Amino acid sequence: MLKIENLSVHYGGIHALQGVSLEVPEGKIVTLIGANGAGKSTTLKAIIGLIKTSGGSVSWNGKSLAGMPTKDIVESGIVLVPEGRRVFANLSVDENLSLGAYARKDKSAVEADRARVFKLFPRLDDRKKQKAGTLSGGEQQMLAVGRAIMTRPKLLMMDEPSLGLAPLVVKMIFDIIKEINAEGTTILLVEQNAKAALMAAHFGYVLETGRITLEGEGRQLLADDRVRKAYLGEAL
Amino acid sequence: MDLATFLQQLANAASLGSLYSLIAIGYTMVYGILRLINFAHGDIFMLGAYFAFYLIASVALPWWVAFLVAIAITSLFGIALERIAYRPLRDSPRISLMISAIGASFLIENLGVVIFGGRPKSFASIPLFDTVVRMGSVQVLSVSLFIPVITILLLVVLLFVVNRTKTGMAMRAVSTDVEAARLMAIDVNKVISYTFGIGSALAAIGGILWTMKYPQLNPLMGIMPGLKCFIAAVIGGIGNISGAVLGGFLLGFIEIMVAAFLPALTGYRDAFSFILLILVLLLKPSGLLGKKQTVKV
Amino acid sequence: MKTRNTVLTGLAIAIFALVLWLADKNLGGYAMRILNLSAIYVVLSLSLNLVNGFTGLFSLGCAGFMAVGAYVSALLTMSPEVKEMNFFLEPLAPWLARLTLPFALALVAGGFCAALAGLVVGIPVLRLKDDYLAIATLGFSEIIRVVITNLQGLTNGAQGLKNIPKFSTTWTVWGVAALVVAFMALLTRSSYGRQLKAVRDDEIAAEAMGVNVFRVKVTSFTISSFLAGVGGALLGHMITTIDPKMFSFMLTFNILLIVVLGGNGSITGSVIASILVTVLMEALRFLDEPLNLFFFKTNGLPGLRMVVFSAMLMAVVILRQRGLMGDQELTWSGFEKAGLLPRSKKGASK
């Protein structure tokens, strides 16, 4: 379980996170929604150690992640699929997947996972040897998810997986997220697409300018008037 | 110009081109990973030559041992340089890095003057490399034949490491996107150290081979070759290893051939590389083998 | 507020002029030479600061433009007899051999030619980014040097020029330096100065706001070249001998050192650092001579001075990246805030 208590982050001269607390119970899908600039990406980057925190604590299964280098955090099972895919454009699809498994030592299991990724995303199999930079946006997102699967994460964090993707592709990605979760992976999902996120998630938190303003079960938040007005675009 | 002289010059060009390639590779690898022009790279080339010199002259090691040890020491030196002069500036603007590199370059050169003395030293003669080989009417030093062969061998090995090993893949990942590489649990610091180590080793080999062919050592000997080899790397496409080799050979060729066929322009010899550089930067900034980089806003 | 500042500035200038006059009267030639050299470095460092610090362009072409200014001014002020003595290998082109102009005119002409060179170099090269710009300008600087070395009939090639008239007196160099400082102060506070900083901070945003980024860069580069040319000319007229070898990358490096130490983007920083570094360079000359500290004897280690300087540069850039002043200036308001001046009745000031 991931536990964040009173997390404070100063980033680029702004007090980006002002005392954020949230929990990601094991095996669940938790989503963090909010408007642009609310601090969602900052939260994920702070967890994975790409950004320094200025207060509060982040712990994974009781162990504090404070000050740990990203490499060690990832090796302990926490993986981030960053915003904008960030696949390695100069490397082939296959190599991108191999990089996902960079820290793993169990060769045969890695190959099994690779086969599984290609089964989930047949289009990636077709483009195995192509450079990742030549893929379309949707394919790159598939590659990013596939690469994340190759890490066999315990906690999978995703930063705006739906961004810039066609609705059908978004649906496919979310279906796969649910499938991965069903197999036991805990998921922390950051999304601007509040509707899709809240429909998929067990729990949700709403982040507004660095603070958590609402929390509850996914279904509850979907029905909440404040959420509907601010993020779901539904008239009262 | 008769055929013999032409072939002679061709052989010279091949040697010079190879030497330039070896040094250019180091530049391009470091730039690919850190987006840094390692101004001190030419001085590392100089250090390789001097370490070999002292190991043979003062420590009296057999030449092949001296060479290997010199390469190893120089490689470690390059790694140390990165740790001291560049790592602390990892998150600073690129200009600070460049200034540090320039400072490091001057520091090493002047330390060389202080420690080694400014007067040129002569490298010992090694029979294997010093024999004159006769092919028809063409005469070359054996070292001139060794150099291109060694360079191509090294290049093959290097390309294999970069394209087909896990470490090489990590290096390419870090060159593409450092942050994303971190997310793959790649030890970015280790990869960077590796890159400096390999680049410096190649520069050391270049330095040693250079002094076999031009046996005069002086602490400032790395300045011009260093600058020219950076230009070679840019011409070939900075960040691209094959491009560095191509650029190195091209530059070596042009330099020797112009001096041979247009002797009146010899005074301008050093300016050629710069003129070529500026032409490339203006016409095809990504270099001969480079890809266009677009900046996303 | 403004009157107070003007009065204070005027007072400061007057005091400085007095100090200069006293120094001129009382200090020996050696000390004055160092002091005057600092003035020249003030001009040179401000020229580099304009492109690097204020416009954010990493240019390493300083030495080349200095060379142009120095040669032009020298050739235009040397008498025909002196020229004939110099050009013994190959005679100077007749139209130039007969031409002798007054110093002020030659100085401006030198700056002008350097500015022209800056324009010619700048237009193609300023499209490049960061490191490529640095290498390209360095390349051009070297090309200029090689060309000068080879144009025997115009520049006397590698022999250089000797017996250049010694026009760089204390008042001349410090007068020019003061003019340049004033010019820079006005420039950076003008709307043009704001454009410069906008280009430095975020080119794309500046372009989006309607700033003609390329034109701003070229203008800044050209002005900087002009100043470098003037500085180079003053240098020539002070040490009376110039040759292509002295306008090497090492010279650019020295000026870069001053700019970085003083703070990239601070006028006062450059002024202070110019004086400090010039004095230090001389003071540390002993390092190159035989040393006789009681526990440590050396037989003269030439190069040790540069070792110290390079180490200094690296230390500053690694440990205190912003240099002495960062991009701040010494202002009267700053003194006020520090409590050295009585606070004005108008309350807190910026």
Side-chain angles (χ1 to χ4, degrees):
Chain A
M1 158 160 107
L2 181 75
K3 192 158 171 184
I4 301 178
E5 273 177 346
N6 226 339
L7 189 61
S8 186
V9 170
H10 287 82
Y11 186 48
I14 318 171
H15 198 178
L17 294 184
Q18 306 170 20
V20 167
S21 300
L22 59 90
E23 269 178 26
V24 185
E26 184 150 347
K28 300 277 182 247
I29 301 179
V30 172
T31 181
L32 184 61
I33 62 172
N36 231 348
K40 310 188 299 293
S41 290
T42 310
T43 310
L44 293 187
K45 285 192 183 158
I47 298 171
I48 202 97
L50 287 177
I51 299 181
K52 284 198 191 41
T53 61
S54 41
S57 71
V58 179
S59 64
W60 168 242
N61 289 340
K63 201 170 112 179
S64 167
L65 298 180
M68 267 174 88
T70 305
K71 173 177 170 298
D72 296 342
I73 296 179
V74 174
E75 277 174 2
S76 63
I78 303 177
V79 168
L80 170 64
V81 177
E83 188 181 345
R85 271 76 76 179
R86 305 282 285 279
V87 297
F88 295 107
N90 294 338
L91 277 65
S92 73
V93 167
D94 209 23
E95 281 176 324
N96 268 274
L97 293 177
S98 301
L99 275 171
Y102 186 79
R104 289 171 64 182
K105 314 251 193 283
D106 44 344
K107 270 216 175 85
S108 47
V110 169
E111 291 314 307
D113 282 337
R114 192 193 302 267
R116 184 175 162 227
V117 169
F118 283 140
K119 198 152 152 250
L120 273 175
F121 302 114
R123 273 205 270 178
L124 289 183
D125 197 1
D126 295 334
R127 309 206 190 307
K128 207 164 26 184
K129 295 289 173 211
Q130 269 181 258
K131 290 228 193 300
T134 60
L135 298 177
S136 73
E139 287 164 347
Q140 285 189 5
Q141 185 63 332
M142 292 185 223
L143 179 56
V145 176
R147 190 175 62 180
I149 294 176
M150 295 293 289
T151 62
R152 280 258 180 112
K154 302 203 183 83
L155 168 65
L156 177 63
M157 306 196 294
M158 304 184 73
D159 196 345
E160 310 227 17
S162 74
L163 202 59
L165 296 182
L168 273 177
V169 182
V170 173
K171 182 174 181 316
M172 184 186 76
I173 298 278
F174 272 86
D175 284 342
I176 291 180
I177 292 176
K178 281 187 265 191
E179 203 180 304
I180 300 173
N181 174 249
E183 292 173 0
T185 310
T186 312
I187 308 223
L188 174 57
L189 185 64
V190 151
E191 256 301 342
Q192 249 187 83
N193 184 342
K195 187 160 170 193
L198 288 173
M199 283 190 3
H202 298 110
F203 296 112
Y205 292 85
V206 177
L207 191 63
E208 276 175 24
T209 47
R211 290 200 183 85
I212 303 277
T213 50
L214 284 174
E215 57 185 82
E217 285 182 21
R219 244 155 286 273
Q220 280 183 318
L221 290 177
L222 262 179
D224 188 305
D225 278 340
R226 290 164 290 179
V227 173
R228 291 171 85 153
K229 250 194 358 191
Y231 301 105
L232 300 177
E234 302 192 10
L236 259 178
Chain B
M1 166 157 317
D2 58 4
L3 186 64
T5 325
F6 178 74
L7 288 176
Q8 192 97 8
Q9 295 296 39
L10 209 67
N12 282 339
S15 302
L16 190 61
S18 307
L19 290 171
Y20 280 168
S21 303
L22 282 174
I23 306 171
I25 292 178
Y27 270 116
T28 222
M29 286 177 75
V30 166
Y31 190 87
I33 277 226
L34 279 185
R35 301 288 178 274
L36 161 74
I37 301 174
N38 185 7
F39 267 93
H41 192 63
D43 304 299
I44 293 182
F45 152 89
M46 174 269 291
L47 283 178
Y50 265 96
F51 287 147
F53 170 80
Y54 277 112
L55 285 170
I56 293 179
S58 305
V59 185
L61 290 177
W63 64 267
W64 57 275
V65 177
F67 284 2
L68 287 172
V69 174
I71 294 170
I73 299 179
T74 313
S75 182
L76 289 171
F77 187 90
I79 294 177
L81 175 70
E82 190 269 323
R83 280 281 182 85
I84 299 173
Y86 305 144
R87 191 175 293 187
L89 297 173
R90 211 48 96 60
D91 300 318
S92 307
R94 299 238 296 277
I95 284 183
S96 301
L97 268 167
M98 243 192 130
I99 295 175
S100 185
I102 296 174
S105 173
F106 274 111
L107 184 62
I108 298 174
E109 281 160 21
N110 283 287
L111 264 179
V113 172
V114 171
I115 299 178
F116 304 141
R119 263 184 316 191
K121 295 190 172 18
S122 281
F123 209 89
S125 167
I126 296 172
L128 179 63
F129 295 117
D130 253 355
T131 26
V132 178
V133 175
R134 259 172 262 269
M135 300 179 300
S137 47
V138 177
Q139 279 185 343
V140 283
L141 276 180
S142 51
V143 69
S144 299
L145 297 174
F146 275 114
I147 291 176
V149 171
I150 294 177
T151 305
I152 293 182
L153 272 171
L154 286 172
L155 181 65
V156 168
V157 170
L158 185 65
L159 285 178
F160 178 81
V161 166
V162 168
N163 288 322
R164 295 209 195 280
T165 62
K166 200 165 151 187
T167 316
M169 196 169 66
M171 286 165 75
R172 281 181 293 137
V174 173
S175 313
T176 310
D177 188 335
V178 177
E179 214 178 57
R182 278 220 176 83
L183 294 176
M184 304 287 112
I186 293 177
D187 189 341
V188 171
N189 282 340
K190 211 158 44 163
V191 168
I192 292 178
S193 291
Y194 250 61
T195 310
F196 268 85
I198 296 178
S200 303
L202 290 172
I205 296 175
I208 293 171
L209 290 174
W210 180 284
T211 38
M212 303 267 79
K213 198 167 152 71
Y214 310 107
Q216 287 275 321
L217 287 161
N218 78 79
L220 305 182
M221 67 188 264
I223 300 180
M224 256 322 178
L227 218 44
K228 285 185 188 162
C229 290
F230 175 70
I231 294 173
V234 171
I235 291 176
I238 193 92
N240 184 321
I241 293 177
S242 314
V245 174
L246 181 65
F249 271 102
L250 200 65
L251 215 64
F253 251 71
I254 292 178
E255 217 181 278
I256 298 274
M257 288 312 176
V258 169
F261 288 98
L262 295 167
L265 290 180
T266 317
Y268 291 94
R269 189 169 146 157
D270 285 342
F272 287 143
S273 339
F274 293 111
I275 295 175
L276 211 65
L277 167 77
I278 289 168
L279 282 173
V280 168
L281 285 180
L282 295 177
L283 300 172
K284 191 171 197 289
S286 49
L288 292 171
L289 295 184
K291 284 165 290 253
K292 246 183 190 286
Q293 300 264 25
T294 43
V295 179
K296 243 175 135 198
V297 183
Chain C
M1 180 58 39
K2 255 195 145 169
T3 19
R4 185 201 71 165
N5 281 347
T6 328
V7 168
L8 280 173
T9 312
L11 208 65
I13 295 178
I15 294 180
F16 185 70
L18 184 66
V19 169
L20 214 55
W21 183 75
L22 285 171
D24 199 22
K25 277 221 169 304
N26 295 314
L27 293 178
Y30 179 63
M32 281 318 289
R33 191 185 148 114
I34 298 178
L35 201 60
N36 293 344
L37 193 60
S38 343
I40 297 180
Y41 273 113
V42 166
V43 174
L44 292 170
S45 63
L46 284 176
S47 108
L48 189 63
N49 209 341
L50 177 59
V51 265
N52 280 19
F54 286 103
T55 323
L57 303 167
F58 196 13
S59 159
L60 293 176
C62 213
F65 300 125
M66 284 175 66
V68 171
Y71 268 91
V72 167
S73 182
L75 286 169
L76 288 177
T77 50
M78 284 158 68
S79 68
E81 298 79 34
V82 174
K83 282 179 189 156
E84 201 176 319
M85 274 202 300
N86 266 294
F87 285 82
F88 58 86
L89 272 185
E90 200 183 308
L92 178 57
W95 63 271
L96 198 50
R98 284 189 292 255
L99 189 59
T100 309
L101 292 176
F103 177 53
L105 213 61
L107 193 64
V108 171
F112 215 66
C113 290
L116 206 65
L119 199 64
V120 167
V121 169
I123 290 182
V125 144
L126 286 171
R127 293 175 212 281
L128 304 170
K129 55 181 168 83
D130 280 342
D131 343 337
Y132 288 162
L133 176 64
I135 286 287
T137 47
L138 177 59
F140 264 113
S141 187
E142 288 297 302
I143 291 177
I144 291 177
R145 206 154 67 89
V146 171
V147 167
I148 290 179
T149 313
N150 281 286
L151 286 180
Q152 197 73 24
L154 205 59
T155 62
N156 209 19
Q159 280 74 42
L161 299 173
K162 299 194 212 319
N163 290 317
I164 303 172
K166 204 176 166 100
F167 286 137
S168 292
T169 62
T170 309
W171 295 107
T172 316
V173 296
W174 279 104
V176 173
L179 273 174
V180 173
V181 169
F183 172 72
M184 287 290 291
L186 287 172
L187 188 73
T188 50
R189 264 156 236 207
S190 70
S191 69
Y192 178 71
R194 279 194 293 275
Q195 290 189 342
L196 285 181
K197 289 182 202 165
V199 167
R200 173 190 67 185
D201 292 337
D202 191 337
E203 238 180 78
I204 298 176
E207 186 87 53
M209 282 200 303
V211 173
N212 187 338
V213 168
F214 187 64
R215 194 186 308 158
V216 166
K217 283 183 177 178
V218 171
T219 321
S220 164
F221 195 73
T222 312
I223 297 177
S224 159
S225 311
F226 178 86
L227 293 174
V230 167
L234 286 175
L235 191 63
H237 287 289
M238 178 157 124
I239 58 184
T240 71
T241 327
I242 57 176
D243 67 68
K245 271 199 291 288
M246 59 182 258
F247 296 105
S248 66
F249 184 42
M250 183 78 93
L251 187 54
T252 305
F253 173 72
N254 280 345
I255 303 171
L256 182 65
L257 176 69
I258 293 175
V259 171
V260 169
L261 278 178
N264 215 4
S266 165
I267 299 175
T268 31
S270 290
V271 173
I272 298 175
S274 301
I275 302 175
L276 268 176
V277 170
T278 314
V279 170
L280 207 58
M281 281 270 200
E282 278 308 308
L284 287 183
R285 212 178 261 279
F286 76 89
L287 285 175
D288 281 351
E289 307 297 323
L291 284 178
N292 198 347
L293 307 171
F294 39 81
F295 51 85
F296 188 53
K297 264 200 174 79
T298 68
N299 269 334
L301 295 170
L304 193 56
R305 191 171 57 134
M306 276 316 292
V307 168
V308 170
F309 268 101
S310 315
M312 258 172 60
L313 178 67
M314 290 178 68
V316 170
V317 116
I318 294 175
L319 300 173
R320 191 182 153 74
Q321 293 164 31
R322 313 188 67 230
L324 205 59
M325 305 280 320
D327 58 0
Q328 302 302 313
E329 305 286 355
L330 268 180
T331 59
W332 298 121
S333 329
F335 280 124
E336 193 181 295
K337 278 210 189 110
L340 293 169
L341 278 180
R343 293 202 178 261
S344 74
K345 286 183 281 273
K346 292 219 176 98
S349 49
K350 196 13 185 124

